[in-house]
Amino acid sequence: MVRMRVLELQFYPLVLGLRSIEIYGEGIKPALERGKGFDGSSVLLAPVEKSDLLLRPDKHTLYQYPWDPEVAGVICDIYTFGGEEYELSPRYILKKTLREAEERGYRMLGSVEIEFFVLSREREFLDRAGYFTPHPSDRGFQLRREVAKALEEIGISVDYGHHEVAFSQHELTLRVDEALEMADKTVKARFVLKNIAEKMGLFVDLMPKPFIGINGSGQHIHLSLSDVKTGRNLFAGDGTSLSKLALNFIGGIIHHMKALSAIVAPTVNSYKRLVPHHEAPTSLSWDYINRTTAIRVPGATSKRSVRVEFRVPDNTSNPYLTFAAILASGLHGIDEGMDPGEPLNDNAWRIDEKLDSLPSTLGEALDELERDSYLKRKLGERAVSKYVELKRREWRDYLKSNEWDVNVVTDWEVEKYSGYI
Ligand code: GLU
Ligand code: MG
């Protein structure tokens, strides 16, 4: 690595999205070795009278910024000064949940599809292209390519990219990896995407529903469990069908899905995306090759590629909490042998009123999470209570100046979420 002159310590608090502090010159080595204290109260992680927390870099995540070789970033864990991992740290919550899976012999693998709008700095569309439209009508291809190359340089493989259905909307899909790696990679990919767009004079909007009347942007997650010892895909049954374990995992996600929504679709704007006829889910449903259900089982060509796709998450989700909550739900399904019911085999939007619905606002989703004693226990009572308290504040803040109208994106949302990473 070229001599690093600036190191950015990056971390995810419970809410707020990515946070970062930079260290210069001689401070870098001690920060990498011993960590750096910070004010936990200002990122809503600790009370002001007990606010000092410690950021400890996970050196394995160190990455040089492709656009500036003198600057590197590193993802940090959050510790107390007593030397313990902080129970409200999302990355800790994920590691804890992964350990539980590992004790049962399971390793979770995931890949994420990042959908986003590429806009002018004034937030106008760059093109009127659609699904798979090639360049030059597709005006975002150069950005996608720059981002994919930059991510490759820092060890993040992008499987594919393309223009999405809506005007100026795009997708990049990251190559499958273990869940903690994938959560870190999601953070880095969002960050690199935003920054390279900025360098190119563009604006990338990761908001779930920036424009009414056209598709929003999801962050679908593809998941499977493999055997810790042999690496065998435990979601694969006979041939390329789903195993019983995979069906139970789906059963667990469906069982917890209403509460899960508060974590995987965690903003006011998320619920404007989850409406019919825009390729987003609206119900507690699953099916094969169906883009109207919350869980889709994509067609697989080999045992290794047998997986399930969860379509509720969006890019405002905290990647650590998201993987942790999905895994905890799936494990519950496996432990209790939960039956997901029959695959829907129909268009979920057409028969919407017959199906159990996803929450229709952030407020409703938070009520569900508060009621879900299993998820609270698994993710940590204190962490979930704090999360719900902070997210309720966000919901109330929105309602102070706006009515709930699923068909309007307010200035409040654009201000709050369009810069979100
Ligand atoms: N953009 C859609 C969503 O909001 C998904 C489109 C797709 O299936 O890729 O989830
Ligand atoms: Mg897509």
Side-chain angles (χ1 to χ4, degrees), residues 113 115 162 164 171 220:
E113 298 177 15
E115 292 184 336
H162 60 87
E164 255 297 349
E171 175 173 321
H220 305 165

Side-chain angles (χ1 to χ4, degrees), residues 71 171 183 222 257 277 374 395:
V71 185
E171 175 173 321
H222 292 246
M257 199 181 296
H277 312 299
Y374 178 88
W395 175 230

Side-chain angles (χ1 to χ4, degrees), residues 373-391:
S373 51
Y374 178 88
L375 273 187
K376 282 204 288 207
R377 201 171 61 249
K378 287 295 172 188
L379 303 178
E381 301 276 351
R382 235 192 101 207
V384 175
S385 316
K386 190 71 195 168
Y387 180 85
V388 170
E389 176 199 321
L390 296 171
K391 282 285 165 187

Side-chain angles (χ1 to χ4, degrees), residues 15 113 117 159 189 205 217 223 244 252-253 350 373 409 416:
V15 296
E113 298 177 15
F117 282 83
D159 258 345
D205 201 328
S217 298
L223 296 156
K244 176 167 180 304
I253 296 185
R350 201 175 53 80
S373 51
V409 176
K416 189 152 184 93

Side-chain angles (χ1 to χ4, degrees), residues 113 115 131 162 164-165 169 171 208 215-220 273 278-281 291 296 309 311 313:
E113 298 177 15
E115 292 184 336
Y131 195 58
H162 60 87
E164 255 297 349
V165 171
Q169 192 189 28
E171 175 173 321
N215 278 9
S217 298
Q219 190 216 276
H220 305 165
R273 166 178 164 253
H278 294 286
E279 292 192 281
R291 284 185 162 75
R296 176 178 77 104
E309 177 195 43
R311 296 174 63 81

